[in-house]
Amino acid sequence: MTLCPHTPSTASFPTVIHAHWAEIAQAKGFTITNRVDDRYHLLLRCETCGGTHRTKLFVLMNNQPTCPHCVETRWHEDAVEAGLVFLARVPQDRHYGFYEAPCGHKLRRQFELIKRIADGECSHRCEICQNTKEEVEAEAQGWVLLGAAPTRDLNYRSYRHSCGHQQVIARVNMQTGRFNCEACGKGWASAPSYIYCMRFELPELPPMVKLGFSRNPQSRLNYQLKRRPDLHAKILHSVALPTGHKALCLEKQMHAALKRDHPGSVVTPEMYAPWLRVRSEIYSADLEPVILDMLDALPLLPDA
């Protein structure tokens, strides 16, 4: 976008462009094309892009003028590098611009932040998409996202449980399901639980299996046991039990039998400590069919 010279036909101010003004302008990357509006303003042409803009004589003489066309070009380029589309400058704040995110939503962001994103220092996040994601996380746990938690830090949200109770919960806990409703929730001992068998394939180690119990085996695996999210592991089988206390008692009986009948299959913690956050209950993979048979037999037990 190039502005056209707009000197009045009959100027009421001096129109001469002094040689030392022209020299200073050239040294700063501009050419003075006209004096405009009054004795204190000039029209400069940028030697980089060819665009013209109006500036004060004082700015030219005492500072480095900035070409607005080059600046806007950089805003567009930074937006592309950041994976966004620059739409317009925010009229009320010269430090902000409007951008279109890949999802199609409109974002209001600082130009400096977009520059940092373009340089790979951080990434952008769409508030609308983020809110939808958090709503889905809450729904999966039987809660409704209400919004931010003003009395806590940014990692907390306000939720409403299906029983009607409202509670402030850390978002990471909502993601993992490792919390209870303060109104209707049960402790681990009385809440339904599972006995499970997991299989691990750790780097440079033979396959291993784990027998354990948890109210939420998937959360236990992904958020408590694995030290790295890319480790190969899966739940082979799980059996639901009415209470955590019952699961704990049966699990202890099973471990006692495994250690008694298969002592050579117990894996020492030193082998898997770099990969797993657990100190026991890991066996070599040859016990996998044995543990699975034990799990299959659990529903047949009279007190299970």
Side-chain angles (χ1 to χ4, degrees):
M1 179 178 67
T2 302
L3 303 176
C4 296
H6 53 284
T7 305
S9 56
T10 303
S12 59
F13 52 86
T15 59
V16 62
I17 299 173
H18 298 288
H20 68 287
W21 294 358
E23 292 173 1
I24 291 175
Q26 286 291 326
K28 295 181 177 181
F30 296 91
T31 297
I32 303 174
T33 62
N34 265 310
R35 296 178 69 173
V36 293
D37 298 338
D38 55 41
R39 62 186 295 185
Y40 303 110
H41 287 85
L42 306 171
L43 198 66
L44 300 184
R45 182 179 67 244
C46 176
E47 296 301 323
T48 299
C49 70
T52 60
H53 74 281
R54 174 180 173 274
T55 191
K56 290 183 179 180
L57 174 61
F58 177 85
V59 172
L60 174 66
M61 302 302 290
N62 297 279
N63 301 278
Q64 172 60 53
T66 301
C67 172
H69 314 296
C70 290
V71 169
E72 184 167 338
T73 297
R74 287 196 296 271
W75 291 341
H76 283 280
E77 293 172 347
D78 288 344
V80 171
E81 289 296 320
L84 305 170
V85 175
F86 175 71
L87 300 176
R89 188 173 182 172
V90 176
Q92 300 82 4
D93 195 325
R94 64 187 182 90
H95 299 292
Y96 283 79
F98 291 117
Y99 298 84
E100 182 179 307
C103 60
H105 294 131
K106 188 177 181 180
L107 309 178
R108 180 182 182 272
R109 294 291 185 270
Q110 281 186 320
F111 295 123
E112 182 60 31
L113 176 60
I114 299 301
K115 179 63 177 176
R116 290 172 55 204
I117 296 172
D119 292 340
E121 297 179 15
C122 55
S123 58
H124 67 81
R125 185 177 71 177
C126 171
E127 290 86 354
I128 298 175
C129 291
Q130 180 65 25
N131 189 72
T132 300
K133 181 179 180 180
E134 293 182 16
E135 288 177 340
V136 172
E137 292 171 352
E139 184 179 351
Q141 303 292 348
W143 294 72
V144 174
L145 175 67
L146 299 179
T151 60
R152 304 295 292 272
D153 65 37
L154 295 177
N155 296 315
Y156 285 80
R157 306 286 187 272
S158 180
Y159 301 91
R160 183 176 62 247
H161 192 221
S162 55
C163 71
H165 173 68
Q166 293 187 19
Q167 187 171 328
V168 173
I169 303 168
R171 185 187 166 216
V172 65
N173 289 340
M174 182 59 68
Q175 290 174 306
T176 62
R178 305 196 68 82
F179 66 97
N180 280 318
C181 174
E182 294 172 350
C184 69
K186 298 179 180 180
W188 72 268
S190 58
S193 191
Y194 297 84
I195 295 181
Y196 60 78
C197 178
M198 296 175 180
R199 180 183 177 92
F200 297 94
E201 296 181 12
L202 306 177
E204 301 180 0
L205 291 175
M208 303 175 187
V209 291
K210 171 175 169 53
L211 172 68
F213 85 97
S214 174
R215 186 170 60 91
N216 188 333
Q218 196 67 50
S219 176
R220 170 81 169 145
L221 173 62
N222 292 323
Y223 298 103
Q224 284 194 311
L225 294 179
K226 296 196 298 182
R227 293 187 182 276
R228 283 180 12 195
D230 61 336
L231 294 177
H232 294 289
K234 63 179 179 179
I235 299 173
L236 299 177
H237 188 37
S238 62
V239 176
L241 291 166
T243 67
H245 177 72
K246 177 62 66 177
L248 174 61
C249 293
L250 291 174
E251 185 220 20
K252 285 185 175 181
Q253 295 174 21
M254 296 168 71
H255 281 301
L258 291 172
K259 293 175 181 177
R260 181 191 66 235
D261 299 337
H262 309 277
S265 296
V266 178
V267 181
T268 60
E270 291 76 16
M271 290 188 63
Y272 53 79
W275 313 109
L276 302 176
R277 298 187 186 95
V278 66
R279 298 181 180 178
S280 61
E281 303 176 350
I282 301 290
Y283 304 93
S284 56
D286 62 287
L287 284 193
E288 181 178 309
V290 177
I291 295 175
L292 292 178
D293 286 344
M294 295 173 78
L295 291 178
D296 288 336
L298 280 180
L300 304 179
L301 297 178
D303 58 347

